[in-house]
Amino acid sequence: MFARVGLYGLCRFDACKERIGYIMASLTKNPNVNAWVDEMIALTKPDKVVWIDGSDEQLDALRDEAVSTGEMIRLNQEELPGCLYHRTLPNDVARVEDRTFICTKKKEDAGPTNNWCDPEEMYAKLTPMYDGVMKGRTMYVIPYSMGPIGSPLAKVGVEVTDSIYVVLNMDIMTRMGAKAFENLGDESDDFVRGLHSKADVDPENRYIVQFPEDNAIWSINSAYGGNVLLGKKCFALRIASFQGRNEGWMAEHMLILGVEKPDGEVKYITAAFPSACGKTNLAMLIPPACYTEKGYKVWTVGDDIAWLKPGKDGRLYAINPENGFFGVAPGTNAKSNFNALASTKKNAIFTNVAINNDNMTVWWEGLDKNPPVNATEWKGAVVNGPEYVAEGNKLAHPNSRFTAPAENCPCISPEFNNPEGVPISAMIFGGRREKTTPLVYQAFDWEHGTFIGSAVSSETTAAAAGAVGVLRHDPMAMKPFCGYHMGDYWAHWIEMGKILGDKAPKIFNVNWFKKDENGNFMWPGFGDNMRVLDWIIKRCEGTVDAQETAIGYLPKPEDIDLTGIEDEITSETMNKLLDVDKDLWLAEVAELREFYKQFGDKLPAEIKAQLDALEARLNG
Ligand code: OXD
Ligand code: MN
């Protein structure tokens, strides 16, 4: 069934050699990889080990196996060719921040925003849990590259897992298979070691643990994407942010998009918003007619993660380390995000959405107004969709997901695979804020922009377990993802600004979610966000003026192009969207002062000075 099956000659553990009947031969001569995989085999004791070479033949066999065991369901192959469905346990539907740890030797290196445990203690706690956990199961050894193969910014990981779902998702989300070892070579030890077992999917013993000093990730008792696709949050953000600090680059929770102007020039922008605040939508935006008619176009480079490094010309360049999108399904429709929906039409995996049993297609809240009558809801019960919804139930879990190959995306950037990345002109921060934060404003300079990033807060969503709608601080949208002390992270940002000097991208803050006194959103969002991007680009080019306020540079109302939506956005609404309310901002300053206290001595003096300066300007 598999491409290469044979006796595994490299196993250095006699006990495991005896017990394991057959194992696929290792795909690499790299002794560091082989020694580590041997160690993981000895620990978890799988019945069988399969190295993932990434061939179609092998992946097809795995798909068939997952379908035959019921782990996955094959969807309508005419309407959704190559698409599969998977459902996780109801207790396992989101990232679990309270069970996510950064294990550095010194507690202060993890900082107050991370759960910390001494690495020795954590290894001692987890090792017995992994001991023999793969007995009766197959271990899949997944080599993968984060970033285009051959890119100087790319990095290699190896994940061992007992889940075919993980293998098939990693195939979409990363450059997976033997080719990843080409990047690593036969000697290097520079790869991230990821150990995953779904074990019993026991929430009480669920752990998502990063050991940044060991380049290692251990995840157990979960099968939900954000906890188990170890290339994504665990590696490309938590471990990579730690690596980036040591190596002079940045790993950020940011989308990357290119705006092509009528003259053909493309300006690249990154944006950091907390989970489920519309990064995928902004990354794939379709501009309103008044822009497309002039020849504007938006290209997607990434929707979730950016790795950024100064290039030879001194500018900041970004790659998307991922190869696909792990997007939130509910709310995605032809109007909100045509391109994301189009990306899910082939070779995609759907997790925890609803199934239309009549034609084996998928449905979620916000897809359209017609829930399927003969539906299977996300937990697996067959229900009458319209009645079920009318009773106030959700057919799809609010954090249900699609995993879709980037190459499916109609607006994927021609630079997506460029190993050098794309040069960044602007970086945007934002969150969901009903009040206080205006539609858009620009930082005075990089240091002020770093302060603005450190002050990001947002009303919570369903992407992480816990209450929804509560305001929480989420600096740079990295609170759940920064692999080291947040104060050191801000210092690294300030340091990067010094290196970039006047070539640094300009920094902005946006808020698509401001509400009026009746609780209605004032800004239409989605494609209309192009109007804000346009102002941002003009600011980068120095072709539009701004009003200097206490919080930064704000647009003059007439400089946001409202062609086609003048009726919706009256000048009164625009004034409210751009309002800077002194009292609300002074309350924000007081609240930030409290928030920063936890960082103690590690709060960079520059951030403190920015806060003081903001207060003085507000009072001035
Ligand atoms: C995600 C998240 O899945 O941020 O991207 O939670
Ligand atoms: Mn994310």
Side-chain angles (χ1 to χ4, degrees):
M1 176 155 120
F2 295 108
R4 311 154 188 227
V5 176
L7 271 174
Y8 182 51
L10 292 172
C11 186
R12 278 175 282 278
F13 295 89
D14 288 345
C16 95
K17 225 192 224 164
E18 219 175 67
R19 216 179 36 73
I20 296 169
Y22 65 95
I23 306 178
M24 284 177 62
S26 168
L27 288 175
T28 176
K29 293 201 199 83
N30 188 307
N32 305 305
V33 173
N34 288 324
W36 174 73
V37 173
D38 282 350
E39 211 184 300
M40 296 302 106
I41 293 170
L43 174 61
T44 60
K45 305 181 180 56
D47 280 15
K48 186 172 152 189
V49 176
V50 174
W51 287 71
I52 299 298
D53 63 11
S55 63
D56 289 345
E57 188 191 359
Q58 187 187 48
L59 291 169
D60 279 344
L62 288 172
R63 285 182 196 108
D64 289 347
E65 192 174 326
V67 170
S68 72
T69 61
E71 183 179 348
M72 302 191 78
I73 295 171
R74 217 180 285 283
L75 294 164
N76 183 324
Q77 294 301 293
E78 263 158 41
E79 288 195 38
L80 297 168
C83 290
L84 295 170
Y85 178 91
H86 176 77
R87 120 175 0 111
T88 61
L89 288 182
N91 71 34
D92 188 32
V93 290
R95 287 183 290 97
V96 278
E97 290 172 17
D98 57 328
R99 310 206 64 98
T100 300
F101 287 79
I102 300 292
C103 294
T104 43
K105 286 196 197 82
K106 287 198 242 142
K107 184 170 186 196
E108 70 184 60
D109 289 341
T113 55
N114 284 311
N115 297 316
W116 174 86
C117 179
D118 172 74
E120 294 311 317
E121 207 178 297
M122 188 55 97
Y123 283 128
K125 181 198 274 219
L126 296 186
T127 298
M129 288 166 61
Y130 283 105
D131 189 3
V133 75
M134 294 194 195
K135 271 187 198 154
R137 299 184 184 182
T138 299
M139 171 191 278
Y140 303 95
V141 183
I142 309 172
Y144 63 95
S145 169
M146 297 311 289
I149 302 281
S151 165
L153 282 86
K155 293 214 170 243
V156 172
V158 182
E159 174 168 355
V160 298
T161 177
D162 51 10
S163 159
I164 296 181
Y165 173 74
V166 168
V167 177
L168 298 178
N169 274 277
M170 289 293 280
D171 176 47
I172 298 173
M173 295 306 295
T174 73
R175 278 90 173 167
M176 182 186 84
K179 60 193 177 211
F181 283 134
E182 286 165 27
N183 257 24
L184 187 66
D186 287 347
E187 307 288 331
S188 174
D189 195 26
D190 184 14
F191 68 98
V192 171
R193 295 135 166 87
L195 167 61
H196 167 248
S197 173
K198 54 192 174 193
D200 303 321
V201 201
D202 170 9
E204 301 302 317
N205 284 305
R206 186 167 292 153
Y207 285 92
I208 318 298
V209 183
Q210 283 67 207
F211 301 96
E213 289 148 348
D214 298 343
N215 255 357
I217 305 158
W218 285 21
S219 161
I220 192 160
N221 275 308
S222 174
Y224 168 75
N227 300 327
V228 301
L229 308 180
L230 301 185
K232 192 174 177 64
K233 303 300 187 181
C234 303
F235 176 177
L237 288 175
R238 299 194 187 101
I239 299 282
S241 59
F242 180 91
Q243 295 175 328
R245 180 195 179 206
N246 294 333
E247 298 166 9
W249 55 281
M250 305 162 90
E252 300 297 334
H253 191 200
M254 289 178 162
L255 67 91
I256 312 166
L257 63 79
V259 177
E260 181 172 333
K261 300 191 298 172
D263 63 4
E265 193 200 355
V266 184
K267 291 269 189 224
Y268 293 95
I269 297 174
T270 64
F273 308 147
S275 304
C277 282
K279 284 204 302 300
T280 306
N281 292 344
L282 185 65
M284 299 180 188
L285 169 156
I286 298 178
C290 60
Y291 283 93
T292 49
E293 278 158 12
K294 283 189 219 150
Y296 281 89
K297 185 158 182 14
V298 168
W299 298 104
T300 307
V301 182
D303 78 327
D304 196 40
I305 300 176
W307 284 1
L308 303 122
K309 196 174 182 176
K312 291 188 194 80
D313 60 2
R315 294 186 67 192
L316 192 60
Y317 282 73
I319 62 161
N320 172 9
E322 301 191 281
N323 202 23
F325 311 117
F326 184 61
V328 179
T332 306
N333 58 51
K335 190 158 173 277
S336 68
N337 196 336
F338 171 88
N339 290 314
L341 197 59
S343 307
T344 66
K345 295 296 179 192
K346 60 176 187 208
N347 302 329
I349 296 173
F350 297 92
T351 305
N352 295 339
V353 300
I355 297 182
N356 180 340
N357 300 324
D358 286 339
N359 60 7
M360 290 309 283
T361 57
V362 285
W363 192 87
W364 50 76
E365 276 67 21
L367 176 64
D368 55 41
K369 296 208 164 61
N370 311 309
V373 175
N374 180 9
T376 303
E377 52 83 83
W378 70 273
K379 292 188 287 317
V382 175
V383 295
N384 176 311
E387 282 176 13
Y388 192 71
V389 169
E391 284 158 13
N393 301 305
K394 301 254 189 253
L395 278 174
H397 186 274
N399 192 37
S400 53
R401 299 280 178 148
F402 55 81
T403 319
E407 65 183 16
N408 284 0
C409 182
C411 59
I412 195 71
S413 164
E415 301 301 312
F416 177 71
N417 283 314
N418 185 338
E420 304 301 326
V422 293
I424 302 303
S425 299
M427 295 171 113
I428 304 176
F429 293 115
R432 283 173 191 266
R433 296 298 305 267
E434 283 191 24
K435 294 193 269 193
T436 315
T437 315
L439 178 64
V440 58
Y441 64 102
Q442 182 188 353
F444 296 122
D445 54 29
W446 179 275
E447 232 164 72
H448 181 222
T450 303
F451 161 72
I452 290 173
S454 78
V456 167
S457 53
S458 187
E459 286 122 25
T460 49
T461 68
V468 171
V470 177
L471 189 76
R472 80 161 189 179
H473 284 276
D474 194 351
M476 277 84 172
M478 282 288 278
K479 177 174 180 295
F481 308 121
C482 184
Y484 60 106
H485 195 297
M486 190 62 79
D488 291 334
Y489 167 72
W490 294 332
H492 180 51
W493 262 79
I494 290 164
E495 200 46 44
M496 290 300 295
K498 290 187 182 136
I499 293 167
L500 292 162
D502 60 5
K503 303 244 172 70
K506 305 268 181 281
I507 298 181
F508 298 80
N509 195 87
V510 300
N511 178 21
W512 316 133
F513 302 94
K514 207 169 179 195
K515 289 187 175 168
D516 63 17
E517 45 297 336
N518 301 320
N520 298 317
F521 290 117
M522 287 192 279
W523 180 250
F526 300 103
D528 288 306
N529 293 335
M530 177 66 208
R531 303 169 192 275
V532 173
L533 296 183
D534 183 23
W535 182 78
I536 287 174
I537 289 170
K538 289 187 178 130
R539 287 299 294 165
C540 293
E541 293 174 336
T543 52
V544 72
D545 208 358
Q547 11 172 7
E548 188 169 339
T549 73
I551 65 167
Y553 298 116
L554 260 81
K556 297 184 172 167
E558 64 275 19
D559 287 335
I560 300 287
D561 187 343
L562 297 178
T563 310
I565 55 167
E566 304 89 341
D567 293 347
E568 209 177 324
I569 310 290
T570 59
S571 60
E572 194 197 341
T573 306
M574 200 57 191
N575 288 339
K576 282 190 202 155
L577 280 164
L578 296 177
D579 181 44
V580 179
D581 182 311
K582 182 179 156 186
D583 292 338
L584 287 178
W585 274 96
L586 281 172
E588 185 94 355
V589 166
E591 211 272 323
L592 273 169
R593 217 176 270 294
E594 273 307 302
F595 169 67
Y596 286 144
K597 275 188 186 153
Q598 64 190 299
F599 303 102
D601 293 351
K602 293 258 192 187
L603 180 72
E606 292 87 343
I607 299 287
K608 162 88 173 50
Q610 287 289 342
L611 182 65
D612 292 342
L614 171 60
E615 187 172 39
R617 287 192 301 269
L618 287 165
N619 284 324

